Amino acid sequence: MKNITKKLLSFLLAAAMLASLVLFNVSAEEPIAASDDKFADGHFKVLFIGNSASDDATDSGYQKDSKLYEIMKAMVGDSCKIDIGLCWSGGKTLAWHATVAETGNGEYTFMYHADGDEWKILSASCSADALKYTDWDAVVIQPWGLEVTKGKATYANNESPDFVELENSVPYMLDHVATNAPTADIYYYHIWATTHDYQNLDAERKNYEAICKYTRLAETYKGTKTGATFTGVVPAGATVQALRGTYLGLLDVNNDVSVIDHTTDPQMGLQRDGVHMSFCIGRYAVGLTFAEKLIPADKRVDGYTLPPLRTSQVAGELPDDYLELIELAVDAAYESAAETGNNKYNVAPLTGREKSPLETAKAEMEAFTYSFNYAADAAALEKLWEENISQGTSVDIKADVTLTSSYTAPAEGESVEVTTNVTFTHGYHMTPATASIKAVVTKKVKLNVSSVDGDYIHSKPEVEIKAGSSVNITPAPDYGYSVGDYTVNGTIISTESGDKIAVKADYGCYISDYKINGESIGAVDNYVIENITEDINIEVIFDSVLPFIDVPYTRWFHSDVLFVYTHGLMNGINEDFFQPYTAMNRAMLVTVLWRMEGSPAPKGKTPFTDLKQAWYKDAVAWAYENEIVKGMTETTFEPTGEVIREQMAAIFYRYAQYKGLDITEKADISTFPDAGRVRDYAKDAISWANAAGLITGKKEGEKILLAPRVSANRAEVATILNRFCEKY
């Protein structure tokens, strides 16, 4: 994930370093002699080379703390210093790292966390600069998820064809590290499979099995020149896989803010999106996996205690059982790493952990009876419940009790019935579970939970028809789907007495099946349930019109992706994935506009020599001859180059000019804090796009920014296309 704040800090710090004549090609310290004991000098240093997955592992934290450092420091104690380095570039493949290592020409962010200090953001043109910065004890090299899944790198960043195959890129990187950091042990980062469907992990499971296969191959390679081999593999992907399917992995993820870090903290489980780990849970799990490999057992202090999970800005301190589950997953990951053959690294999700402790608490509270002294009034009764209700469960919960009916203290030997609402939460279960309780007050209060709302973990859409004539609809849709207006035309289910329920799927979804008491009846138009003498359970199965598992209904961009897909403007990366958070490149954007015009044949050719793919050649030629796009140089177009937001605005602006649309409307963009970062060529375009409602700004903390130099992702482009078509 790219972050404009990181780039700015990187530039400022790099300038300060030049002013003080600190250069990367000069080691910061005198080299130490090679030693089998990396802890002999009381100072352990590890460097990560990769993309945002390495950022997750090191928990770079935007110049704040690092959980990886805290975990490793807890293990070794004060007798050893721990330094962590991170040399990363967002979204890059191992083939790209090898290409840059060979050419010496690339853009990295180099970060350094010295023992007891905060992260410092430096800069490096290639990984050799970072490798030579100090005498590293360990170096971790990290592939890209799709790269290892396919066995090849994709040409997204001008990777050299020499490094397409992992059997070429891995040995080259082994030689590269061994040459520039000869005393370091080298580790391979076993990555996780990306997923955007937290309730159905079948597709992700297949990707993960492929990752395991290529990890087993990669660990057998060695440098062709130095003969260097991997000291070991860190099975971080196995830890993540073990947690998926548990209640931590199935918690919902909220991406309603543009910049996600531990200051905004919207994430509600293992991941903060389909690719990256959450700051409070996921990063800790990956960091603990690395610490287990990097810190040998004989170098750890006796009786060390792991640091707690990061405090959530939403939920406060997270429960101890979250950390216990992470430790179990790390143990399972290393057990899988000790396997042989196809079982190696191929861990399964932990079983028996699918349900949240909150659900356990609900079940336990149903049978809970607590004896307490006489309550003189309602306030006293509420206080007694709040003080003692957690004793009814094995889980540490937070509960609030409110009496919903009047209470009069009973006389001796008498009793009184009181209705009570109990609301309780646990960790990231921010939608409170509520129970309606009827309690008999004498010398005891019996908790009889008659209904529970907020079962948002494994919920399914349900329609309950009660015995008799009353009909109650209590929908709790599957993740990614929604029940629409019950009174709008749709499938009708009627009772014998004539009472009817209308269920209609929301826009972009459809009803694929009904189940009556668990038995499928198909997607019928009408159905009569006869002879109702007991409760009947009707399950409504919803599905999405979109085929992409990473565009669930609840995402802000669902309707926009639905529009561009159904109108033939944008397709998925493959049959299953749209990849909404992937940066849009120049060829993709031009092709979309070309399709909007009906895919016209170009009249001539372009001067560009780097148009290698047939699928975008005509689109680029058409856009070039109509002055919608220009080249990056006189002879290059850079089709795979990422489109930043100001470039996107300029292309749409020129397209509107080509269409003869009114582009005179302009907005005053000086009100945006980063308006000064808009370059001259794009000022009119940004001003028009803002006035037209195409680009409204990105929220970053409390600020709304234009973010002109931030890459535009596929979801954002789909949204702007929808807005453009609606307006014009």
Side-chain angles (χ1 to χ4, degrees):
M1 179 178 291
K2 295 184 178 179
N3 187 288
I4 195 166
T5 305
K6 288 186 177 181
K7 288 188 175 181
L8 178 59
L9 291 173
S10 177
F11 170 81
L12 293 175
L13 191 51
M17 290 181 64
L18 288 172
S20 59
L21 298 180
V22 178
L23 302 178
F24 278 115
N25 60 357
V26 178
S27 295
E29 301 175 11
E30 290 297 319
I32 60 172
S35 170
D36 291 336
D37 185 357
K38 303 301 181 182
F39 298 82
D41 63 344
H43 201 163
F44 182 77
K45 305 172 188 176
V46 56
L47 172 67
F48 287 72
I49 300 174
N51 57 34
S52 56
S54 290
D55 176 45
D56 279 339
T58 58
D59 189 25
S60 66
Y62 302 91
Q63 283 195 297
K64 295 182 182 295
D65 57 342
S66 165
K67 278 298 174 184
L68 175 61
Y69 168 78
E70 291 181 20
I71 294 169
M72 295 174 70
K73 192 67 176 175
M75 289 180 171
V76 300
D78 295 333
S79 61
C80 183
K81 294 181 179 180
I82 299 291
D83 288 2
I84 303 171
L86 171 62
C87 183
W88 75 295
S89 186
K92 301 302 191 297
T93 63
L94 199 60
W96 183 88
H97 294 297
T99 300
V100 172
E102 182 180 56
T103 63
N105 183 23
E107 182 181 350
Y108 279 100
T109 297
F110 179 37
M111 306 178 68
Y112 197 82
H113 187 291
D115 189 89
D117 201 353
E118 293 185 346
W119 283 102
K120 305 297 183 184
I121 301 180
L122 312 177
S123 63
S125 61
C126 65
S127 53
D129 295 336
L131 287 166
K132 295 176 182 178
Y133 182 69
T134 189
D135 293 294
W136 302 104
D137 296 295
V139 175
V140 178
I141 61 174
Q142 177 236 313
W144 189 40
L146 291 177
E147 180 180 15
V148 293
T149 300
K150 296 179 180 178
K152 296 182 178 181
T154 57
Y155 286 101
N157 298 286
N158 297 320
E159 294 94 337
S160 169
D162 293 339
F163 300 120
V164 173
E165 301 287 349
L166 284 175
E167 63 186 31
N168 296 323
S169 61
V170 172
Y172 188 89
M173 289 301 293
L174 283 167
D175 283 336
H176 177 61
V177 174
T179 300
N180 292 284
T183 64
D185 290 335
I186 310 175
Y187 293 88
Y188 187 79
Y189 191 148
H190 174 64
I191 199 69
W192 52 86
T194 59
T195 181
H196 297 268
D197 188 343
Y198 300 91
Q199 306 292 329
N200 183 356
L201 302 177
D202 289 342
E204 162 271 324
R205 178 72 197 182
K206 294 178 181 177
N207 286 342
Y208 181 70
E209 289 173 353
I211 287 175
C212 294
K213 172 184 175 181
Y214 287 104
T215 298
R216 292 191 293 267
L217 286 174
E219 67 180 336
T220 66
Y221 297 150
K222 63 181 179 179
T224 55
K225 295 181 179 180
T226 63
T229 59
F230 288 111
T231 302
V233 172
V234 180
T239 297
V240 173
Q241 188 69 17
L243 286 172
R244 287 176 175 163
T246 69
Y247 61 85
L248 289 184
L250 292 175
L251 289 175
D252 194 7
V253 175
N254 180 353
N255 278 325
D256 289 340
V257 296
S258 60
V259 177
I260 300 174
D261 60 26
H262 50 58
T263 62
T264 56
D265 188 33
Q267 66 279 0
M268 295 297 175
L270 177 65
Q271 296 178 229
R272 67 181 189 270
D273 55 38
V275 179
H276 305 91
M277 294 295 104
S278 67
F279 286 87
C280 292
I281 297 175
R283 285 192 168 199
Y284 194 110
V286 174
L288 181 58
T289 310
F290 271 94
E292 286 289 339
K293 174 65 74 172
L294 296 173
I295 309 296
D298 62 348
K299 302 302 179 185
R300 304 178 193 181
V301 297
D302 294 335
Y304 71 88
T305 301
L306 288 174
L309 294 170
R310 179 175 282 128
T311 298
S312 164
Q313 299 295 317
V314 175
E317 292 186 7
L318 297 178
D320 291 340
D321 52 77
Y322 282 22
L323 182 52
E324 292 172 4
L325 188 52
I326 289 172
E327 291 183 80
L328 288 174
V330 173
D331 290 342
Y334 278 101
E335 288 175 5
S336 73
E339 295 284 349
T340 58
N342 293 337
N343 291 327
K344 192 171 187 180
Y345 306 119
N346 205 357
V347 68
L350 295 173
T351 58
R353 298 282 180 155
E354 297 84 358
K355 290 187 177 181
S356 160
L358 188 60
E359 295 185 63
T360 302
K362 287 186 274 188
E364 291 175 340
M365 288 176 69
E366 291 180 2
F368 173 51
T369 300
Y370 180 72
S371 299
F372 57 87
N373 293 329
Y374 174 81
D377 53 32
L381 181 57
E382 288 181 359
K383 184 178 180 181
L384 286 169
W385 271 120
E386 290 174 355
E387 289 175 350
N388 299 290
I389 199 167
S390 64
Q391 296 187 29
T393 75
S394 60
V395 178
D396 182 18
I397 63 171
K398 298 178 181 178
D400 293 317
V401 177
T402 304
L403 304 186
T404 55
S405 63
S406 60
Y407 170 72
T408 302
E412 186 173 352
E414 295 181 356
S415 62
V416 61
E417 186 176 274
V418 181
T419 302
T420 308
N421 277 345
V422 177
T423 302
F424 49 99
T425 60
H426 178 81
Y428 270 131
H429 296 270
M430 299 313 298
T431 304
T434 60
S436 176
I437 303 160
K438 287 186 177 180
V440 177
V441 181
T442 52
K443 293 183 179 180
K444 296 181 179 179
V445 172
K446 183 177 181 181
L447 210 64
N448 178 19
V449 180
S450 58
S451 65
V452 177
D453 299 325
D455 187 7
Y456 40 82
I457 302 170
H458 299 291
S459 56
K460 294 181 179 179
E462 290 185 347
V463 179
E464 293 183 357
I465 300 181
K466 297 289 185 181
S469 61
S470 64
V471 176
N472 298 314
I473 299 177
T474 55
D478 265 337
Y479 179 83
Y481 307 105
S482 177
V483 177
D485 190 340
Y486 315 124
T487 62
V488 179
N489 291 335
T491 301
I492 297 176
I493 301 172
S494 65
T495 66
E496 185 180 22
S497 61
D499 293 328
K500 296 181 179 181
I501 304 171
V503 180
K504 181 179 181 295
D506 268 351
Y507 175 66
C509 297
Y510 66 93
I511 298 171
S512 61
D513 191 15
Y514 296 99
K515 291 182 179 180
I516 306 297
N517 288 340
E519 294 186 8
S520 173
I521 62 171
V524 296
D525 291 330
N526 292 277
Y527 193 80
V528 178
I529 306 173
E530 299 179 344
N531 303 319
I532 299 176
T533 58
E534 59 184 4
D535 290 359
I536 303 295
N537 192 58
I538 303 173
E539 189 176 341
V540 186
I541 310 299
F542 295 88
D543 210 339
S544 175
V545 172
L546 285 171
F548 311 124
I549 63 177
D550 56 353
V551 188
Y553 178 80
T554 53
R555 289 294 183 264
W556 60 267
F557 48 76
H558 178 273
S559 60
D560 299 311
V561 174
L562 182 64
F563 173 83
V564 297
Y565 176 73
T566 55
H567 285 78
L569 302 180
M570 294 179 70
N571 297 316
I573 297 299
N574 54 41
E575 292 181 357
D576 297 320
F577 292 96
F578 183 77
Q579 290 194 355
Y581 299 108
T582 296
M584 194 79 168
N585 65 39
R586 290 166 56 80
M588 290 178 184
L589 182 55
V590 169
T591 301
V592 168
L593 298 180
W594 178 64
R595 289 173 182 163
M596 287 177 66
E597 284 301 295
S599 305
K603 298 176 182 178
K605 296 182 179 181
T606 72
F608 307 132
T609 60
D610 58 348
L611 303 181
K612 306 297 184 182
Q613 300 288 336
W615 64 267
Y616 58 71
K617 280 186 177 181
D618 284 352
V620 174
W622 164 81
Y624 176 74
E625 67 188 22
N626 289 289
E627 298 183 349
I628 297 171
V629 296
K630 302 176 182 179
M632 299 304 289
T633 68
E634 291 183 357
T635 59
T636 60
F637 180 72
E638 293 187 11
T640 59
E642 294 181 1
V643 176
I644 60 176
R645 286 165 61 85
E646 66 176 22
Q647 291 173 342
M648 176 177 62
I651 291 174
F652 271 93
Y653 184 64
R654 297 186 198 120
Y655 176 67
Q657 286 179 311
Y658 160 77
K659 296 284 290 182
L661 303 175
D662 182 7
I663 57 172
T664 58
E665 186 181 10
K666 300 291 194 299
D668 179 11
I669 61 173
S670 64
T671 56
F672 290 91
D674 60 343
R677 291 185 58 79
V678 179
R679 285 173 277 214
D680 290 342
Y681 80 92
K683 286 183 178 178
D684 284 345
I686 287 276
S687 178
W688 162 78
N690 182 245
L694 305 183
I695 295 178
T696 56
K698 291 173 71 74
K699 186 175 181 182
E700 185 168 342
E702 298 298 321
K703 298 178 181 179
I704 303 296
L705 304 178
L706 288 170
R709 303 188 190 184
V710 174
S711 297
N713 62 43
R714 287 168 54 83
E716 292 172 334
V717 173
T719 300
I720 291 173
L721 281 167
N722 195 1
R723 292 172 181 171
F724 183 91
C725 293
E726 286 181 352
K727 184 173 179 65
Y728 297 108

